[in-house]
Amino acid sequence: MSNSALQFKDISFHYKNSNENAPEQNVLEKLSFNVKPGEFISIVGPSGSGKSTLFKLITGLEEPSFGDILINGESYDNRLGRVGYMPQQDLLMPWRTILSNAALPLELKGVKQQDAHHQVMGLLEEFGLKGTEHKYPSDLSGGMRQRVSFLRTVLSGSNVLLLDEPFSSLDAITRLTMQEWLLDQWEKWKTTVLFITHDVDEALFLSDRIFVFTKSPVKKLEEVNVPLDRPRKLRDIHHPEVIQLKEHLLDQLRARVEL
C-alpha cells in the first residue's frame, strides 16, 4: 500500500485567456505536496485563490499544464471517478427517493439496483438516516440532505474524498452538529479527506493539517499542523495555543486579501 493517498509533483496550471493578446492566468506554478492515507486536510484561502481549481485538477475535470498527480501512488491518464467529490450544494435529484439518491454511485458502477438498494439500506442508520429511505430530498432538512450527499460520496468507493464547503449553506447550530458528525464518520471509515472552507474555526476543529493559499500564482502552500489530539471536542479550539494559531491564519488570509 502506498504511503501517499494524494501527491502533487511539480504541478503547474494556467487558464487560457479568450483574448489572444491577453496574458494567460497562472494559478499554480510547480506546486508539490503530499497527503498521507487517513489524513484530514483543510484548505483555506480567499475566493479566487485557486482552491476550487485544485479540486478540479484532482478529480480530472482539469489537466495540469505540467507535472503529475498521483492517487494512492498511481498516475492515471484519466482521473475521473478515482476520488469521491461532495460539492457545496447536495445536488440530490428531487424526483428520486433518499434510497435511490444514495444508491446512484453504485448504479453508475454497474451494480444492480436491487443490490445497490440493499447495500444502502445497511448504511442508512449508521449515517443517521434511518426511516428516510422512502422520503424525498424536499422532505429533509439541510443537514440531513448533506448526510445523504456524504453517504453518496463514500459509496463512490474511493479512499480519497474531496469536500467543497459542504456546510456553508447551513445555519450555525446545524453546521456545528454536522462538523462533529463528520469527524465521527471519518474516524469510522478511515478515509483521506480534503476539505475546502472559509471558516478558520472549522478548519482548526476538523483537521490534522491546514493548507493555506496565499500568494498567486501558488508555488507553495503554507502548511499548519493543528496541535490537538483526537478525539477532540469543539471547546478544544479555545486552547491558548490554538487561539494563537487562529490569529496567525487570519493574518495570513488578511494579507492575501489586501494584495
Side-chain angles (χ1 to χ4, degrees), residues 40 84-87 90 92 102 105 127 129 143-156 161-163 166-167 178 181-189 191-193 195:
F40 198 120
Y85 175 63
M86 180 177 173
D90 57 62
L92 300 180
F127 279 74
L129 295 165
M144 294 289 275
R145 289 197 298 271
Q146 289 301 78
R147 292 185 185 214
V148 181
S149 184
F150 184 68
L151 172 55
R152 196 163 62 178
T153 304
V154 168
L155 288 172
S156 68
L161 306 182
L162 312 181
L163 312 185
F167 306 146
M178 289 301 296
W181 176 83
L182 176 60
L183 280 188
D184 286 341
Q185 294 302 317
W186 168 71
E187 288 169 356
K188 288 177 184 176
W189 286 85
T191 50
T192 303
V193 171
F195 186 99

Side-chain angles (χ1 to χ4, degrees), residues 231-243:
R232 59 183 66 160
K233 300 293 183 183
L234 278 167
R235 62 176 177 269
D236 293 338
I237 66 172
H238 300 299
H239 290 177
E241 187 178 2
V242 180
I243 292 174

Side-chain angles (χ1 to χ4, degrees), residues 94-245:
W95 61 88
R96 277 186 170 237
T97 65
I98 298 307
L99 180 61
S100 295
N101 263 292
L104 185 60
L106 298 175
E107 293 177 25
L108 291 175
K109 289 192 292 185
V111 178
K112 292 182 179 179
Q113 186 182 74
Q114 184 177 355
D115 294 335
H117 285 191
H118 179 74
Q119 187 172 336
V120 170
M121 284 296 294
L123 292 171
L124 288 178
E125 183 172 3
E126 183 175 342
F127 279 74
L129 295 165
K130 184 179 180 180
T132 66
E133 57 268 23
H134 300 305
K135 294 183 178 181
Y136 290 87
S138 60
D139 298 323
L140 302 187
S141 66
M144 294 289 275
R145 289 197 298 271
Q146 289 301 78
R147 292 185 185 214
V148 181
S149 184
F150 184 68
L151 172 55
R152 196 163 62 178
T153 304
V154 168
L155 288 172
S156 68
S158 175
N159 66 312
V160 179
L161 306 182
L162 312 181
L163 312 185
D164 189 355
E165 295 192 78
F167 306 146
S168 60
S169 63
L170 304 178
D171 64 83
I173 299 300
T174 303
R175 184 169 184 155
L176 293 176
T177 301
M178 289 301 296
Q179 289 169 7
E180 292 178 317
W181 176 83
L182 176 60
L183 280 188
D184 286 341
Q185 294 302 317
W186 168 71
E187 288 169 356
K188 288 177 184 176
W189 286 85
K190 307 297 182 184
T191 50
T192 303
V193 171
L194 277 77
F195 186 99
I196 289 179
T197 180
H198 282 92
D199 187 328
V200 172
D201 282 340
E202 184 171 62
L204 288 166
F205 174 56
L206 294 174
S207 313
D208 297 309
R209 287 189 292 160
I210 300 172
F211 289 171
V212 186
F213 275 73
T214 52
K215 296 180 181 180
S216 181
V218 180
K219 299 179 181 180
K220 184 179 180 180
L221 296 172
E222 179 180 355
E223 297 183 18
V224 175
N225 291 299
V226 179
L228 291 175
D229 295 329
R230 297 189 186 275
R232 59 183 66 160
K233 300 293 183 183
L234 278 167
R235 62 176 177 269
D236 293 338
I237 66 172
H238 300 299
H239 290 177
E241 187 178 2
V242 180
I243 292 174
Q244 185 178 0
L245 182 57

